[in-house]
Amino acid sequence: MATIHVERIINAPADQVWEALRDFGALHTKTAPGFIIDTVVEGDIRTVTFDGGLVLRERLIAIDDERRRIVYSILADIFEHHSASNAVVPEGDDRCRFVWIVDFLPDDPKDRITAMMNAGIDAIKASMEAQP
């Protein structure tokens, strides 16, 4: 099983970043606009369209407001297993650490997924730091 762990310091309050992230249907408007161009939610499933045309379906597993953590799974035939979590950890009043961990089988697409996660987390950082 492959595990990818990426983190970024975001110069924005943890509550602001968490408010955007916990809105399961707002990836394209609040969290990573530009990187994500559309999000459609039906029940606990969101369909995410990425810049470049990739479309993925994701199932919401958990939202934990106390720990500022969201867990989801990509529903795609390329994975035997997929689990991802995002967490927002306060690091003072006006900055936080964004932690993204993904576990998946098979591990063949690890390089491609790592590149997408790095691009995604950079888009989240840019979006959160651009907000007043």
Side-chain angles (χ1 to χ4, degrees):
M1 180 175 311
T3 297
I4 304 169
H5 184 126
V6 296
E7 296 186 18
R8 296 291 187 280
I9 294 295
I10 298 177
N11 294 310
D15 287 342
Q16 171 190 318
V17 176
W18 175 241
E19 185 275 325
L21 180 65
R22 78 167 317 283
D23 189 342
F24 192 62
L27 287 176
H28 65 300
T29 57
K30 291 183 181 179
T31 311
F35 181 72
I36 306 295
I37 60 171
D38 193 32
T39 309
V40 177
V41 176
E42 296 176 29
D44 65 347
I45 306 291
R46 70 180 172 195
T47 302
V48 179
T49 304
F50 293 80
D51 180 37
L54 177 65
V55 177
L56 293 173
R57 294 177 66 239
E58 300 173 341
R59 178 184 306 276
L60 176 63
I61 305 299
I63 294 177
D64 183 340
D65 287 315
E66 183 178 336
R67 291 177 182 83
R68 294 184 184 97
R69 182 174 179 263
I70 189 168
V71 180
Y72 64 93
S73 179
I74 293 177
L75 306 173
D77 290 342
I78 65 166
F79 295 113
E80 291 175 42
H81 169 81
H82 179 279
S83 180
S85 66
N86 303 139
V88 179
V89 182
E91 298 230 339
D93 291 339
D94 293 321
R95 65 185 247 163
C96 59
R97 178 178 305 275
F98 189 97
V99 180
W100 191 353
I101 302 171
V102 177
D103 299 303
F104 56 93
L105 283 170
D107 58 3
D108 296 343
K110 186 174 183 178
D111 292 341
R112 185 176 55 162
I113 293 170
T114 299
M116 284 189 67
M117 287 174 63
N118 278 306
I121 204 168
D122 288 342
I124 292 166
K125 176 179 172 59
S127 174
M128 294 297 105
E129 290 181 351
Q131 294 181 21

